[in-house]
Amino acid sequence: MRQTKASGLKPDAFVMKEVERMDHAPRTMLEMSTALLVFLMAAGSGLMLFQNGASLNRLAYVNGLDQDRSLHQTYNTPISGDGSVTGAEVLQAIAHLDEGDAEMVVDGIRFAPPLEREQLSSAGIRLTGRYRPDYERDASGHLQRLLLRSLP
C-alpha cells in the first residue's frame, strides 16, 4: 500500500473519509426535501378539506333559505275522478297529523292530534275501501274538521 506524501494516509482511507463527510450533506438534503414535501401535502389537503367544508356550509345555508318553514303538508283530494280517496290514503293522512292540524273523523271515529300510533292499528279503517271527504270550516275559512264517510 502506498502512502501519500502530504497526509501520510493511504489513498483508500483518504477517499473513504471524504465519502463519509460527503454523505452527510446529501442525506440531510433528502431528509429536508422529504419533510418539506410531507408538509406541503398536509397543508394542501388541509386547505382542500377547509374549502370543501366551507362550500358545504354555504350550500346548506342556501338550501335552508329556499325552504319555506310556514308551509305544512295538507290533505289533498284527487283532482280527477269522483273525489273519493282510498282507505290507505286516509290512514296515511291520519298518521301524519301534527299538533295544530285539523281533526279528522272517519265513520264517526275521531282522530285529533297529538295521536298515539297504537290508535291507528285499532282504527277500523278499511284500506281497500273508498271514502268521501266533507270539510267543516270556520267563518274565516280555516279547516276545523275533515269528515270521511265510507262508500258502499
Side-chain angles (χ1 to χ4, degrees):
M1 302 252 182
R2 294 184 333 203
Q3 292 185 352
T4 60
K5 296 179 185 175
S7 65
L9 294 174
K10 297 177 186 174
D12 295 335
F14 177 74
V15 170
M16 292 303 288
K17 278 213 176 251
E18 285 297 316
V19 168
E20 287 177 10
R21 225 181 307 153
M22 293 299 284
D23 280 344
H24 182 68
R27 185 181 313 130
T28 304
M29 187 172 64
L30 283 173
E31 289 172 355
M32 293 298 288
S33 297
T34 304
L36 179 65
L37 182 64
V38 168
F39 172 75
L40 290 176
M41 286 174 52
S45 63
L47 179 64
M48 285 179 13
L49 286 173
F50 179 75
Q51 288 175 340
N52 284 341
S55 66
L56 286 175
N57 278 342
R58 185 172 37 258
L59 180 66
Y61 179 73
V62 168
N63 283 343
L65 291 176
D66 289 342
Q67 294 176 352
D68 187 1
R69 306 266 189 237
S70 65
L71 294 178
H72 296 286
Q73 184 176 5
T74 59
Y75 182 75
N76 293 328
T77 58
I79 295 175
S80 63
D82 62 352
S84 64
V85 293
T86 65
E89 291 171 329
V90 170
L91 190 63
Q92 183 179 13
I94 292 171
H96 285 96
L97 282 178
D98 288 331
E99 190 68 36
D101 289 345
E103 69 177 21
M104 294 178 70
V105 179
V106 181
D107 287 334
I109 302 171
R110 182 178 170 268
F111 298 97
L115 190 63
E116 297 295 326
R117 297 288 179 199
E118 291 80 29
Q119 289 176 326
L120 294 178
S121 62
S122 63
I125 297 173
R126 294 178 299 130
L127 296 179
T128 58
R130 303 291 294 173
Y131 293 84
R132 177 167 306 280
D134 289 320
Y135 307 97
E136 288 184 7
R137 300 183 180 272
D138 62 2
S140 62
H142 295 290
L143 183 65
Q144 295 297 313
R145 184 174 295 121
L146 176 60
L147 302 169
L148 293 153
R149 283 179 273 145
S150 60
L151 297 174

